[in-house]
Amino acid sequence: MNRSTAVAVKAAASTKKRRSFLSRWDAPIAGYLFILPWLLGFFGLTAYPMFLSLYYSFTDYTLMEPISWVGLHNYERIFTADAKFLQSVKITFFYVLASVPLKLAAALLVALLLNKAMRGISAYRTAIYFPSLIGGSIAVSLLWRNIFGVDGIFNEILAKFGIQGIGWITNPSTALWTLILLTVWQFGSSMVIFLAGLKQIPSDLYEASGVDGANRFVQFFKITLPMLSPTLYFNLIMGVINAFQMFTSAYVITNGGPMNSTYVYAMYLYERAFSRYQLGYSSALAWIMLIMIVIVAAIIAGTSKYWVFYETDAGGKKSK
């Protein structure tokens, strides 16, 4: 092969490679057109507001005066001179640590009960899932406030057993627990995901363990939980993220009271932004919340290798 032929072959190969690379972008143009509405929504309604709030967090933005750059002053003030910040963080972490495990436990228990072949089981699953569709609404929060009020239905039930009720949402020691109970009541979504995970566990494992003498208790901890650990991991992450952002029930039922016992972080952020109009300060609070969620999620993800197990393509088991 002479020199001119070699150069021509090399140029043709280079052109073909370049066309192959460009074809990845030219060929699926229809696909990009289909996802264009999502891209516009993501960049216009999510990405742009996020980066704008990051900029505002370094400014003194009050809606009443021109925006002025203050650097890290908002963050310094939050961590050194804001007692309500620490109080709201403590209440929020307590809420997360109490509500998420209880919600997951309730969801898993109900999923185990509904994972049976029986007549009308679909109707039961729908009825149990239904509260999750309306659980975060203002109407349900108002209903919850009436149920646990001094003259509410819950105290009327206790009175039938000779027990004197209290104002559950007006007592500082019980108000937060009423909100936790409302969150646990909204276990439907987690239950459906657990139920889907239970359907994927081979029944042969239970039959083989039963032959070896394993009872239901042993099967649950040796088969069900390990096989269900990826589903548990997903529900845990989603539950933590949602719990950190809890706002509606605290705002409607207790309005942060009594004595700030339900003054969760999202309520404090809302007050700073829409009651005091300190949008720069509240933007800094929002980014601190994001960092807290990321740290907690990272801790869960880092420890998951010790308790989350996945089935390999070959059929074995491996740790994440």
Side-chain angles (χ1 to χ4, degrees), residues 87-95 176 260-264:
Q87 181 186 21
S88 63
V89 168
K90 292 178 182 177
I91 294 173
T92 301
F93 269 92
F94 179 82
Y95 172 82
L176 186 59
N260 291 333
S261 60
T262 60
Y263 199 66
V264 292

Side-chain angles (χ1 to χ4, degrees), residues 28 39 54 88 102 110 118 130 167 180 195 212 229 246 272 276:
L39 290 175
L54 180 61
S88 63
L102 290 175
V110 176
M118 57 180 293
F130 183 74
I180 293 173
L195 190 58
D212 292 337
S229 58
M246 191 274 287
R272 284 285 185 174
R276 304 186 188 183

Side-chain angles (χ1 to χ4, degrees), residues 188-228:
S189 298
S190 300
M191 181 269 295
V192 170
I193 297 174
F194 275 133
L195 190 58
L198 290 172
K199 295 294 184 182
Q200 302 302 315
I201 301 177
S203 59
D204 297 344
L205 297 177
Y206 295 103
E207 295 173 359
S209 62
V211 173
D212 292 337
N215 55 31
R216 293 291 182 88
F217 184 82
V218 174
Q219 289 177 342
F220 176 77
F221 285 99
K222 295 297 183 179
I223 299 176
T224 305
L225 276 185
M227 296 292 290
L228 205 61

Side-chain angles (χ1 to χ4, degrees), residues 47-225:
Y48 175 71
M50 282 185 62
F51 286 107
L52 191 62
S53 71
L54 180 61
Y55 165 72
Y56 285 153
S57 70
F58 298 104
T59 66
D60 183 15
Y61 181 28
T62 62
L63 282 182
M64 307 299 177
E65 300 176 359
I67 300 175
S68 59
W69 181 267
V70 296
L72 296 174
H73 176 71
N74 287 331
Y75 294 93
E76 179 183 356
R77 182 181 168 192
I78 289 172
F79 287 106
T80 60
D82 193 341
K84 280 192 173 183
F85 165 75
L86 293 177
Q87 181 186 21
S88 63
V89 168
K90 292 178 182 177
I91 294 173
T92 301
F93 269 92
F94 179 82
Y95 172 82
V96 172
L97 292 174
S99 64
V100 174
L102 290 175
K103 182 178 180 178
L104 293 180
L108 179 56
L109 176 62
V110 176
L112 290 170
L113 295 176
L114 295 179
N115 188 32
K116 300 181 182 298
M118 57 180 293
R119 187 175 182 180
I121 192 65
S122 298
Y124 289 113
R125 293 171 182 169
T126 303
I128 292 176
Y129 176 72
F130 183 74
S132 294
L133 298 177
I134 61 174
S137 66
I138 294 178
V140 171
S141 298
L142 292 172
L143 177 63
W144 208 258
R145 187 174 66 182
N146 292 331
I147 290 175
F148 289 96
V150 177
D151 299 325
I153 298 175
F154 187 71
N155 281 342
E156 291 182 3
I157 295 174
L158 293 179
K160 294 183 180 298
F161 296 93
I163 302 175
Q164 180 65 37
I166 62 174
W168 301 95
I169 60 176
T170 57
N171 190 323
S173 61
T174 59
L176 186 59
W177 284 102
T178 61
L179 303 184
I180 293 173
L181 183 60
L182 175 58
T183 302
V184 175
W185 181 64
Q186 302 168 16
F187 63 80
S189 298
S190 300
M191 181 269 295
V192 170
I193 297 174
F194 275 133
L195 190 58
L198 290 172
K199 295 294 184 182
Q200 302 302 315
I201 301 177
S203 59
D204 297 344
L205 297 177
Y206 295 103
E207 295 173 359
S209 62
V211 173
D212 292 337
N215 55 31
R216 293 291 182 88
F217 184 82
V218 174
Q219 289 177 342
F220 176 77
F221 285 99
K222 295 297 183 179
I223 299 176
T224 305
L225 276 185

Side-chain angles (χ1 to χ4, degrees), residues 25-43:
W25 301 96
D26 295 337
I29 187 65
Y32 293 111
L33 290 176
F34 277 119
I35 66 172
L36 182 60
W38 181 89
L39 290 175
L40 293 176
F42 172 75
F43 287 108

Side-chain angles (χ1 to χ4, degrees), residues 7-30:
V7 172
V9 171
K10 185 177 180 180
S14 177
T15 303
K16 182 178 180 181
K17 182 178 180 180
R18 184 165 58 252
R19 288 178 178 175
S20 177
F21 175 78
L22 293 176
S23 65
R24 298 179 182 178
W25 301 96
D26 295 337
I29 187 65

